């Protein structure tokens, strides 16, 4: 039986990017794990010469996004051409993934950018005081309830979290620069969390077409 000729595959990244997401058929994961499994299959298929990564995602968790990025980078290093096709939204982690590709295409109205990392939690301390609510907390260490809503965060805890955010942000910038063949200094001015449409992203060199 003759072998099929060189082919182009399509991989879809839709919705929030997490390690696994419910809702797949027969209990199958449709999160980052499913995307990586699909990319593994394509990497082993010698008939596949290019992959279109169709992205419609507002972003997601740092670890899941980084795993997809690294897997795409492996394919790229193996000379499989990667083209990111942006849908309605390819922002934050959605853009992170796109930056691993050789070429990025967006619509004029695609919402992209949002380069940055965020962590937050509500502070209900004043409301608890007003209602006379106290929390009984048993914990194994001083900072185990660092993001709890019932108390104020200490300066030391804020510094810890900020260090985590800064480390992830710096990795984000380095990976974009690597994928886009740009200097980090050219990315940082627009890597302040702002969103932009495809037309503006093209102007800043974040997409190709």
């Amino acid at each position: 039986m003759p072998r099929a000729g060189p082919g182009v595959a399509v991989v879809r990244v839709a919705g929030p990017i997490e390690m696994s997401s419910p809702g797949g058929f027969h209990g199958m994961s449709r999160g980052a794990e499913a995307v990586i499994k699909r990319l593994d299959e394509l990497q082993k298929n010698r008939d596949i010469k290019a992959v279109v990564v169709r992205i419609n995602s507002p972003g997601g968790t740092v670890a899941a996004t980084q795993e997809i990025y690294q897997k795409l980078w492996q394919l790229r290093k193996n000379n499989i051409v990667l083209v990111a096709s942006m849908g309605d939204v390819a922002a934050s982690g959605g853009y992170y993934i796109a930056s691993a590709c050789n070429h990025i295409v967006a619509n004029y109205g695609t919402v992209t950018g949002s380069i940055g990392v965020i962590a937050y939690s509500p502070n209900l301390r004043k409301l608890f005081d007003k209602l006379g609510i106290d929390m009984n907390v048993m914990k194994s260490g001083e900072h185990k309830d660092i993001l709890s809503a019932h108390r104020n965060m200490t300066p030391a805890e804020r510094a810890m979290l900020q260090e985590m955010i800064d480390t992830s942000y710096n990795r984000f910038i380095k990976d974009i620069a690597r994928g886009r063949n740009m200097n980090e200094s050219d990315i940082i001015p627009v890597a302040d969390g702002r969103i932009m449409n495809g037309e503006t992203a093209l102007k800043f060199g974040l997409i190709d077409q």
Side-chain angles (χ1 to χ4, degrees), residues 10-38:
V10 177
V11 174
R12 300 181 186 277
V13 180
I17 302 168
E18 301 169 347
M19 282 301 180
S20 61
S21 299
F25 292 108
H26 305 297
M28 293 175 62
S29 168
R30 62 179 187 69
E33 292 174 350
V35 173
I36 293 166
K37 181 180 179 181
R38 174 66 173 150

Side-chain angles (χ1 to χ4, degrees), residues 39-156:
L39 292 171
D40 276 332
E41 293 170 351
L42 296 176
Q43 187 175 9
K44 296 171 184 175
N45 186 340
R46 289 181 294 175
D47 292 325
I48 297 299
K49 304 302 180 184
V51 176
V52 176
V53 185
R54 180 63 172 171
I55 303 170
N56 197 15
S57 171
T61 64
V62 173
T65 301
Q66 288 176 339
E67 284 209 18
I68 296 176
Y69 176 99
Q70 293 298 336
K71 190 65 208 178
L72 287 169
W73 191 256
Q74 287 179 22
L75 269 68
R76 182 168 167 178
K77 295 291 283 185
N78 287 347
N79 296 317
I80 296 176
V81 178
L82 304 176
V83 178
S85 170
M86 295 180 167
D88 289 325
V89 181
S92 193
Y95 180 75
Y96 199 152
I97 288 171
S99 71
C101 299
N102 302 82
H103 197 80
I104 303 177
V105 179
N107 297 296
Y108 288 102
T110 295
V111 177
T112 187
S114 190
I115 299 170
V117 183
I118 186 172
Y120 54 87
S121 68
N123 185 343
L124 305 179
R125 179 67 262 170
K126 292 182 179 179
L127 178 62
F128 277 32
D129 288 344
K130 183 177 181 179
L131 297 177
I133 299 173
D134 288 319
M135 294 290 292
N136 294 316
V137 179
M138 287 66 70
K139 53 186 179 179
S140 59
E142 180 183 357
H143 305 297
K144 187 60 180 175
D145 59 344
I146 191 170
L147 287 177
S148 295
H150 66 271
R151 69 173 180 84
N152 295 325
M153 190 181 300
T154 68

